[in-house]
Amino acid sequence: MVIKSKIFWLIFLIGLGIQVVAQSNKEQKRPIAKDPYFKVSEQKNSPEVNEKIRLVHSDSLSRKPDDFEGNPVFYGNVKFEHKGAVLTADKVIFYQEDNFVKAIGNVILVTADGDRLTSDEMEYDGNTEKGIAKGNVVLTDPKQTIKTETLYYDRVPNTAYFNSGGTIYNGKNTIWTQTATYFINTKVVDVTGNVRIDNDKYRLEGNNIQQNQNTNVAVFSGSTRIINKENPSNYVYTEKGRYLMTTKEVYLEKNSKIYYNGKTLAGDQLYFNQTTGFGKGEGNVTLDAPNENRYIKGGYGEIFEHQDSAMITKNPYAVKIFKTDSLYFGAQKIITYQKPDSTGSKKSFVKAYKQARIFKTNLQGRTDSISYNETEAVIHAIGKPIFWSGTKQISGDTIRTYLNKNADSVDSIRVIGHAFAISKADSLNMKDEFNQIKGKSMTAIFENGEIKRAKVLNNAQSITYVDSENNKTKTMDRIGLALSTCGEIKALFEEKHLQIVSCNIGAQTDIHPMSMVPKEKRFFPDFNWNTKDRPKKWTDIFLDTPGYPKTQYISDDSLYDKALEIKKKSEEKEMSKKPHRKHKE
């Protein structure tokens, strides 16, 4: 009787077990809820046989019909393997028919390549070979570490992707980004969405950056900045380029600018070496110095950040911005730099070499080279300089122009060596009558934008036309020509004539009537009134000479010719009165 009872319970339990297993198998056939990421891609025409995920070890096993759709749950030192990748965790649910696992607690995935991924949880699909890691996710390979909260891993292309924000660290650089795709085979990181890369000295910010961890090169398209962390006002901006992060070299290709020491270099193509501070630009180069109210343009440029200097070539020109009338420089090469004076204060300089030209509404000039002290507002012109202002021309060995920094105007001009000033005696006519002053040195004072006074020192000489007002007609009558030689001449430039105010130190002045002065005596031997080379508009600074037609003046020698004729007739008359000696036959 006891034996029959035991047999009954044994048959009952076996039947119940069969029913539970059948029910469990029936529930397993129902598809589990997966993240859309696990969706199978389009398959090839010939279906592939997927390798099954294999259990290697676990401390215990539990299987309940109402838990996890009746699938087995493994606990304690759980270890699974799939195609060379090993997954370990505290707990793993194994969906056998779906070839799918969900790991929970101290999850570690070691790939066949040796990369290590840790997280709080992970789901892995053996059919698609895709995984999703969540919570404190860390992906480590021999070159870098990626940290995020959710990471999507795909073994087929061997990529890892996140879009919830994360960091990437390679021992030298740290990347903060919203979205990133890591190509594990090539060690290339494609990061997008508010990207920031930090190293010891610089920070790279952008919204579309690709970084190759093998070459340590970042390629970017879209708005990007590379900032000097010690001096954030020094940075690079571009919308397309690449950054060699090991050598700290930047190549910029679109809407690019280099900001340094309060200046900006822009151009079609830019290069900058953050270590040496050397940069260069090609095509539509602009060097802007807002602190100096000045910019320089050209076809090619170089900057030296540590020396605070720059050079612009290929049709360069500089513009000094004034409130009412800007000053333009042109030359074959323009250099700008800063250097400290004896007190340690920095002074700013601009130098223009070879065929230097100047244009301002009330001042134009041509010379071989120019040195402009912007801080002290002094322009040095060297190499056969000629300056023009209104109807006046000044030349010499060296010309210094002093600007009024407050009024943005010319204060004075000082000429050193072979100083020569010429002004039209009467600007309203076309006669070749010119007042002239020359000497070893000269200072010309400006008033209301025009040369008003002049002082000539050492071997001072002048040729001036002398006029007198007719009391009846109230017009100016020409008296003659004054020839002066002094140690010092002070002159006053008036609207239609030059008045010699004083002639001191060994003064000698002779006034000759026009009838007594031949044409060649009305000009100094080195007289050169130059109209064809004078810039008339600012774009003339690009030319060696604008080549304007030489102004033709009329020589009025009527009084001298008449006097000469009278003298000749007088001499002939006197000759006729003398007795003629008869020759013997």
Side-chain angles (χ1 to χ4, degrees):
M1 191 70 179
V2 174
I3 295 174
K4 288 182 179 181
S5 176
K6 289 182 178 181
I7 293 173
F8 171 79
W9 283 108
L10 179 61
I11 294 172
F12 174 78
L13 290 173
I14 291 173
L16 180 62
I18 293 172
Q19 183 179 5
V20 169
V21 171
Q23 180 67 23
S24 176
N25 289 337
K26 183 178 180 181
E27 290 180 357
Q28 278 186 297
K29 292 179 181 179
R30 292 184 301 172
I32 60 174
K34 296 182 182 179
D35 190 284
Y37 176 72
F38 293 110
K39 183 179 179 181
V40 179
S41 307
E42 293 183 3
Q43 300 295 318
K44 299 180 180 178
N45 293 332
S46 57
E48 296 181 1
V49 177
N50 296 311
E51 182 177 326
K52 296 296 183 180
I53 300 173
R54 183 175 64 87
L55 172 66
V56 177
H57 173 82
S58 73
D59 291 344
S60 62
L61 163 67
S62 173
R63 188 169 192 169
K64 298 179 181 180
D66 296 331
D67 291 340
F68 307 108
E69 300 171 333
N71 288 286
V73 181
F74 300 89
Y75 296 93
N77 298 311
V78 184
K79 185 176 182 180
F80 276 81
E81 186 274 336
H82 185 249
K83 290 188 175 182
V86 177
L87 173 70
T88 61
D90 295 339
K91 173 182 177 182
V92 176
I93 302 100
F94 185 21
Y95 299 87
Q96 292 174 289
E97 290 197 4
D98 293 287
N99 203 22
F100 185 90
V101 294
K102 181 174 182 178
I104 302 172
N106 295 311
V107 178
I108 301 174
L109 173 67
V110 180
T111 69
D113 300 321
D115 295 342
R116 177 185 175 91
L117 189 154
T118 64
S119 63
D120 295 337
E121 296 182 5
M122 183 176 183
E123 295 178 349
Y124 180 75
D125 190 328
N127 295 329
T128 61
E129 298 186 57
K130 293 181 179 181
I132 301 177
K134 297 181 179 180
N136 299 312
V137 181
V138 179
L139 174 60
T140 307
D141 68 20
K143 291 191 174 183
Q144 66 194 334
T145 299
I146 298 176
K147 294 182 179 181
T148 185
E149 283 304 302
T150 302
L151 183 72
Y152 299 87
Y153 174 58
D154 192 336
R155 291 189 63 186
V156 176
N158 212 14
T159 59
Y161 165 81
F162 66 82
N163 59 9
S164 56
T167 63
I168 304 168
Y169 178 67
N170 67 358
K172 296 181 178 179
N173 305 311
T174 302
I175 304 175
W176 286 268
T177 179
Q178 183 64 32
T179 304
T181 301
Y182 175 41
F183 300 90
I184 299 173
N185 293 335
T186 60
K187 302 297 185 288
V188 173
V189 179
D190 186 351
V191 290
T192 58
N194 300 321
V195 179
R196 190 177 75 188
I197 302 177
D198 266 349
N199 58 33
D200 55 339
K201 293 183 178 180
Y202 296 93
R203 175 178 299 140
L204 173 63
E205 296 177 348
N207 54 28
N208 192 353
I209 299 175
Q210 290 184 337
Q211 188 194 35
N212 189 314
Q213 298 295 325
N214 292 320
T215 61
N216 203 23
V217 174
V219 178
F220 26 81
S221 58
S223 179
T224 306
R225 294 196 309 166
I226 304 174
I227 303 168
N228 185 323
K229 293 166 71 173
E230 294 181 358
N231 186 0
S233 62
N234 286 8
Y235 66 94
V236 169
Y237 174 85
T238 188
E239 293 176 9
K240 183 180 180 182
R242 55 194 175 98
Y243 182 24
L244 281 60
M245 303 185 73
T246 300
T247 58
K248 294 181 173 57
E249 295 176 279
V250 189
Y251 295 85
L252 313 171
E253 301 177 18
K254 182 180 178 182
N255 296 332
S256 308
K257 292 182 179 180
I258 299 172
Y259 295 85
Y260 75 104
N261 302 342
K263 304 172 184 64
T264 305
L265 178 69
D268 295 340
Q269 304 284 333
L270 295 182
Y271 164 84
F272 186 61
N273 187 312
Q274 295 171 324
T275 302
T276 63
F278 171 76
K280 65 179 181 179
E282 295 183 74
N284 297 308
V285 172
T286 299
L287 178 63
D288 190 14
N291 293 337
E292 306 298 336
N293 291 322
R294 179 252 302 150
Y295 64 86
I296 305 174
K297 288 181 175 288
Y300 176 82
E302 294 180 355
I303 62 172
F304 305 86
E305 178 185 14
H306 303 327
Q307 293 77 27
D308 204 359
S309 63
M311 177 193 72
I312 309 294
T313 60
K314 294 186 178 180
N315 295 322
Y317 69 95
V319 180
K320 182 71 173 181
I321 302 172
F322 294 138
K323 294 178 181 178
T324 56
D325 183 22
S326 296
L327 177 64
Y328 295 82
F329 296 91
Q332 294 181 3
K333 179 192 296 183
I334 296 178
I335 294 174
T336 176
Y337 62 93
Q338 289 190 336
K339 69 176 184 179
D341 59 13
S342 57
T343 65
S345 300
K346 278 191 174 183
K347 293 186 176 181
S348 180
F349 295 86
V350 177
K351 290 190 175 182
Y353 293 100
K354 299 298 182 184
Q355 298 180 3
R357 305 292 181 260
I358 295 176
F359 181 87
K360 199 174 185 295
T361 300
N362 63 342
L363 183 70
Q364 304 84 44
R366 60 180 281 124
T367 183
D368 181 70
S369 61
I370 291 171
S371 178
Y372 178 24
N373 184 331
E374 292 183 286
T375 306
E376 297 182 353
V378 181
I379 302 172
H380 299 255
I382 303 170
K384 299 180 179 179
I386 303 177
F387 278 41
W388 297 268
S389 179
T391 58
K392 303 167 187 67
Q393 175 183 296
I394 295 178
S395 60
D397 295 340
T398 300
I399 295 179
R400 297 177 184 171
T401 304
Y402 298 86
L403 305 176
N404 187 320
K405 293 186 289 185
N406 297 323
D408 294 340
S409 60
V410 179
D411 263 354
S412 62
I413 288 179
R414 176 168 171 75
V415 186
I416 302 172
H418 298 94
F420 198 160
I422 305 171
S423 70
K424 192 76 171 60
D426 188 345
S427 60
L428 299 180
N429 65 42
M430 295 302 294
K431 294 181 178 181
D432 62 347
E433 298 174 341
F434 297 90
N435 294 314
Q436 303 154 61
I437 308 176
K438 62 182 297 187
K440 190 173 181 180
S441 64
M442 178 190 302
T443 300
I445 307 299
F446 280 68
E447 290 183 11
N448 298 321
E450 295 183 353
I451 297 176
K452 189 65 176 178
R453 301 188 306 277
K455 181 179 179 180
V456 184
L457 298 175
N458 299 322
N459 193 27
Q461 303 174 65
S462 68
I463 297 176
T464 57
Y465 287 82
V466 180
D467 298 327
S468 177
E469 186 178 21
N470 189 309
N471 292 328
K472 292 182 179 181
T473 62
K474 301 301 181 181
T475 59
M476 302 299 291
D477 293 334
R478 179 63 45 83
I479 296 176
L481 198 68
L483 306 178
S484 301
T485 301
C486 327
E488 175 189 271
I489 290 179
K490 293 181 179 180
L492 179 65
F493 289 90
E494 296 183 346
E495 185 178 356
K496 293 184 179 181
H497 66 280
L498 173 66
Q499 178 183 349
I500 301 299
V501 177
S502 63
C503 184
N504 306 314
I505 309 174
Q508 180 180 343
T509 299
D510 298 316
I511 300 177
H512 304 278
M514 298 305 298
S515 60
M516 301 296 293
V517 183
K519 180 177 180 178
E520 60 271 16
K521 294 296 183 180
R522 293 190 279 115
F523 303 94
F524 285 121
D526 50 352
F527 175 89
N528 178 25
W529 179 254
N530 190 336
T531 57
K532 67 182 182 67
D533 294 332
R534 179 179 184 174
K536 293 183 180 180
K537 55 184 184 295
W538 81 267
T539 52
D540 288 341
I541 64 176
F542 297 110
L543 307 173
D544 178 28
T545 173
Y548 291 113
K550 186 176 181 179
T551 304
Q552 300 298 322
Y553 294 98
I554 302 171
S555 294
D556 186 2
D557 300 319
S558 57
L559 294 177
Y560 177 77
D561 291 341
K562 186 176 180 180
L564 191 63
E565 184 180 352
I566 293 172
K567 181 180 178 182
K568 183 178 179 182
K569 287 181 179 181
S570 176
E571 290 176 350
E572 290 176 352
K573 185 176 180 180
E574 291 296 323
M575 288 293 294
S576 65
K577 291 181 180 180
K578 292 181 180 180
H580 295 280
R581 180 179 296 179
K582 294 183 179 181
H583 297 281
K584 293 182 180 180
E585 294 182 358

